[in-house]
Amino acid sequence: MADTTTRTTMEQSMAVEPAIVIGAGAAGLAAAQALIRAGVATTVLEKESRLAEPWRRRHQQLHLNTHRDLSALPGLAYPRNTPAFPHRDVVIRHMNDFHAANRLPVEFGVSVEAIVFRGDHWVVRTSAGTRLAHHVVVATGRDREPFTPQWKGMRTFAGRIVHSADFGDAQAYAGKKVLVVGAGNSGFDALNHLAGIDTSAVWLSARSGPALLPKRIGKIAVHRLSPLMARLPLRVADAAIAATQRLVFGDLTKFGMPPAGAGGASRLISDYTAIAADDGAVDAVKSGRIVVVPGIREFTRDGVILANGSLIAPDIVIAATGYRTGLEHMVGALGVLDEKGVPLFNGGEADPKLPGLWFTGMRPSIRGCFANAGILARAIARRVAGSPRTSGT
């Protein structure tokens, strides 16, 4: 009780900052820029020691599946010679350029442990001490924590199990037997790279088929059409995605791919599943270089037993099984997360019982994360700038 009283007394003597953004990824940087341009003094807290650390950890072959013209942070275009689908290192440079061009006040090496509501302000408890703010924007990302299911027997498996986030150098899979689990965006990213490697065998274990689009049709980058798709009613967007997939790839169920459980646009909304992009994997499936198999039942020491009872013996299993936000510790007590740990509101939406709390970049968008970051940032800035909490600071 004494510690709580002392802490409350200390908080009463502290200045309340107008806005704090948690996370200096694309969503956080865009939010900070929009808030500052709207006249709201803002500080960004970033747990890493430098920008774009998650991007630096991804494999060297990584390119965006979104077109450069729709993957730039607000007000800063990519250089003219940038490829249509920028490389990981180009994205890292772009984020650093944006940070420098806007002189954004990012405090590095500060992790946020908890956020507490005090009625007229928020208490932000960090590794560097307590901060107070009228507005808090949580922008820590929807892929903060790689998620790997706990399959039966996996601890006895003699091979390697890695998450797709740790895919590494594609050449490291040469001569190996590889099982990719998951036919979503991460799964197809791994398969696209493996399709060009001389592996011993590649299997794709999929419980449901993907919503899948090519990166290009002829010379047209398909993602350039995403702003139009985003404005369509869900059922129309679902139909357009399915029709394009069937027109370009044909009937993939003939090659063992299970049908998709729902439309691509609908799954973005319902279970946050991003649309996959093909860049060679489908041809490998059709040629038999990638073999589609059922879901996993369990692991043994020497292999994987599939749902149909058959046994395969991969050297490496790549779990392309998604990510979690990891927000339970920070905001779980506030009742703002769904059963998957995703915030119940995003962008300019807010819970009227928790004024001043905002989330951005927590759900996939058909436009892509960078374009969506700018849209959500502007929506948050409008709400914050017009808030009585802001005008009273």
Side-chain angles (χ1 to χ4, degrees):
M1 178 68 73
D3 288 345
T4 302
T5 302
T6 300
R7 186 162 57 189
T8 302
T9 302
M10 289 178 61
E11 290 172 4
Q12 289 173 348
S13 65
M14 296 172 62
V16 182
E17 301 174 51
I20 290 176
V21 174
I22 304 171
L29 294 175
Q33 183 216 41
L35 287 166
I36 291 169
R37 288 190 170 186
V40 181
T42 302
T43 300
V44 184
L45 305 181
E46 169 55 49
K47 70 173 184 176
E48 304 290 354
S49 61
R50 56 182 178 174
L51 288 180
E53 194 62 42
W55 288 93
R56 300 174 199 270
R57 292 172 185 157
R58 297 296 175 87
H59 60 87
Q60 182 60 36
Q61 299 88 358
L62 182 66
H63 285 74
L64 291 181
N65 288 330
T66 54
H67 193 274
R68 66 166 180 257
D69 293 345
L70 297 170
S71 302
L73 287 165
L76 183 68
Y78 282 96
R80 285 189 177 182
N81 62 346
T82 301
F85 299 99
H87 182 263
R88 179 200 74 170
D89 293 347
V90 177
V91 175
I92 293 170
R93 189 179 313 120
H94 179 72
M95 293 176 67
N96 278 279
D97 289 347
F98 183 82
H99 171 232
N102 290 279
R103 298 181 180 178
L104 298 178
V106 179
E107 296 182 18
F108 292 100
V110 180
S111 60
V112 174
E113 297 157 359
I115 304 171
V116 180
F117 186 46
R118 289 286 190 252
D120 62 344
H121 67 272
W122 290 88
V123 178
V124 181
R125 295 189 177 132
T126 83
S127 58
T130 297
R131 308 278 283 266
L132 309 182
H134 287 292
H135 295 273
V136 176
V137 181
V138 181
T140 48
R142 65 185 183 88
D143 56 356
R144 188 181 185 191
E145 295 182 355
F147 171 75
T148 301
Q150 296 302 298
W151 289 294
K152 180 181 178 182
M154 64 186 292
R155 296 187 186 281
T156 67
F157 180 56
R160 291 176 55 216
I161 301 175
V162 300
H163 192 274
S164 55
D166 301 314
F167 179 80
D169 183 357
Q171 291 295 335
Y173 298 89
K176 304 293 186 181
K177 293 178 290 183
V178 186
L179 171 62
V180 176
V181 184
N185 186 46
S186 296
F188 263 83
D189 179 63
L191 292 168
N192 289 333
H193 295 299
L194 291 172
I197 301 299
D198 186 18
T199 55
S200 178
V202 178
W203 298 278
L204 166 62
S205 173
R207 291 185 300 179
S208 63
L212 181 64
L213 293 173
K215 278 197 168 184
R216 296 182 183 275
I217 298 178
K219 294 185 177 181
I220 299 173
V222 173
H223 183 250
R224 296 291 296 271
L225 303 176
S226 65
L228 171 63
M229 296 290 288
R231 290 192 287 269
L232 295 175
L234 273 182
R235 60 182 179 81
V236 178
D238 284 341
I241 292 168
T244 303
Q245 179 172 334
R246 184 64 177 258
L247 179 66
V248 174
F249 303 123
D251 182 5
L252 294 180
T253 62
K254 293 179 179 179
F255 303 92
M257 192 77 73
S266 291
R267 291 189 69 186
L268 277 170
I269 303 299
S270 64
D271 60 8
Y272 320 120
T273 300
I275 296 168
D278 173 67
D279 195 19
V282 169
D283 283 345
V285 168
K286 290 180 175 180
S287 70
R289 288 184 294 118
I290 295 174
V291 178
V292 183
V293 297
I296 292 176
R297 190 172 84 191
E298 63 182 286
F299 281 78
T300 68
R301 181 186 180 282
D302 299 316
V304 177
I305 300 175
L306 303 172
N308 64 358
S310 61
L311 174 70
I312 58 175
D315 301 306
I316 305 171
V317 176
I318 299 173
T321 46
Y323 298 83
R324 298 293 184 266
T325 64
L327 287 173
E328 288 80 4
H329 185 69
M330 187 189 298
V331 298
L334 298 174
V336 295
L337 305 177
D338 67 13
E339 67 279 1
K340 292 187 175 182
V342 177
L344 296 170
F345 48 93
N346 199 38
E349 304 166 346
D351 185 338
K353 300 187 297 296
L354 298 170
L357 178 64
W358 312 91
F359 294 92
T360 181
M362 296 295 173
R363 301 174 189 175
S365 164
I366 201 166
R367 293 183 177 89
C369 65
F370 284 88
N372 205 44
I375 293 169
L376 297 181
R378 291 188 292 274
I380 291 171
R382 285 193 297 270
R383 293 290 306 277
V384 171
S387 166
R389 299 166 68 88
T390 305
S391 59
T393 62

